[in-house]
């Protein structure tokens, strides 16, 4: 155990705050670091992309990047969604979980599972993990408003141990809290 702790402390993590601010605020336009960094990282993925979101909209730059990367057979894409946010009141700009699965056939799409009481857990965790190396934890949903109008903060962590731990925990939670969306 002490060796593992020592090893964990031996590797360096790089943490960078990334923001999105409304256009014209503080000289930073609508395309802040958070908005531009995440789709770029997703497109650059060579092995895997894992995304967890509460809300997803087709207007999001990340939606476009996810669609592109999910078509590449060499990249494993996993998307965790909130069932109620996606499926309760469908709108043309906000795809249902089933529509996400159809429009991103190369991705594994999971939504929160309903319990015996009919209620589903809320998937409010928002993160993007790329190639098991980079983890962006953010307040932003996958929407144009998050990218253009909201004040959003995220942390970009370059830490394979932490990134792997987050992805592993989500996989452990799948049989308890999520169900796979079939095409």
């Amino acid at each position: 155990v002490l060796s593992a702790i020592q090893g964990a402390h031996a590797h360096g993590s790089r943490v960078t705050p990334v923001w999105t601010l409304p256009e014209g605020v503080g000289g930073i336009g609508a395309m802040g670091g958070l908005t531009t960094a995440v789709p770029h990282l997703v497109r650059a993925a060579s092995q895997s992309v894992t995304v967890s979101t509460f809300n997803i909209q087709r207007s999001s730059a990340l939606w476009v990047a996810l669609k592109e990367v999910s078509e590449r057979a060499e990249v494993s894409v996993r998307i965790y969604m909130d069932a109620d946010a996606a499926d309760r009141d469908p709108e043309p700009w906000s795809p249902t979980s089933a529509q996400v699965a159809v429009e991103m056939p190369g991705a594994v799409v999971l939504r929160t599972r309903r319990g015996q009481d009919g209620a589903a857990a809320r998937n409010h965790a928002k993160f993007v993990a790329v190639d098991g190396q980079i983890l962006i934890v953010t307040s932003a949903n996958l929407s144009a408003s998050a990218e253009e109008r909201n004040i959003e903060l995220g942390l970009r962590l370059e830490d394979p141990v932490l990134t792997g731990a987050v992805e592993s925990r989500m996989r452990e939670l799948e049989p308890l809290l999520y169900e796979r969306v079939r095409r």
Side-chain angles (χ1 to χ4, degrees):
V1 171
L2 292 176
S3 294
I5 293 170
Q6 182 180 13
H9 286 291
H11 84 281
S13 294
R14 196 169 122 203
V15 179
T16 307
V18 286
W19 291 86
T20 295
L21 301 172
E23 187 171 2
V25 174
I28 299 174
M31 297 300 282
L34 181 58
T35 304
T36 56
V38 177
H40 174 75
L41 283 171
V42 167
R43 283 188 179 95
S46 61
Q47 299 170 9
S48 64
V49 175
T50 302
V51 174
S52 178
T53 186
F54 175 74
N55 179 357
I56 188 167
Q57 294 182 2
R58 289 183 177 96
S59 59
S60 167
L62 185 51
W63 167 267
V64 176
L66 281 169
K67 281 190 73 163
E68 289 174 17
V69 78
S70 72
E71 294 174 1
R72 296 180 11 219
E74 72 276 13
V75 180
S76 167
V77 177
R78 208 164 195 81
I79 302 170
Y80 296 90
M81 302 177 64
D82 184 88
D84 285 340
D87 301 334
R88 181 174 284 170
D89 297 314
E91 298 288 350
W93 61 84
S94 186
T96 65
S97 57
Q99 290 169 330
V100 173
V102 167
E103 293 182 42
M104 296 190 198
V108 173
V109 178
L110 300 116
R111 67 179 165 221
T112 48
R113 174 188 312 266
R114 298 212 175 279
Q116 291 184 356
D117 63 356
R122 302 301 290 197
N123 188 69
H124 213 253
K126 299 173 201 105
F127 71 84
V128 177
V130 178
D131 290 339
Q133 303 291 315
I134 298 171
L135 178 66
I136 295 184
V137 180
T138 177
S139 62
N141 288 310
L142 275 66
S143 67
S145 60
E147 296 168 356
E148 297 168 4
R149 293 182 296 282
N150 297 356
I151 300 166
E152 303 284 359
L153 171 63
L155 293 176
R156 176 184 167 146
L157 302 113
E158 295 183 32
D159 187 327
V161 173
L162 180 60
T163 303
V166 168
E167 289 181 296
S168 292
R169 183 64 175 151
M170 291 300 286
R171 294 292 283 262
E172 291 168 3
L173 293 173
E174 283 179 17
L176 305 170
L177 298 172
Y178 297 92
E179 62 185 7
R180 187 166 179 174
V181 180
R182 303 290 176 198
R183 288 175 247 303

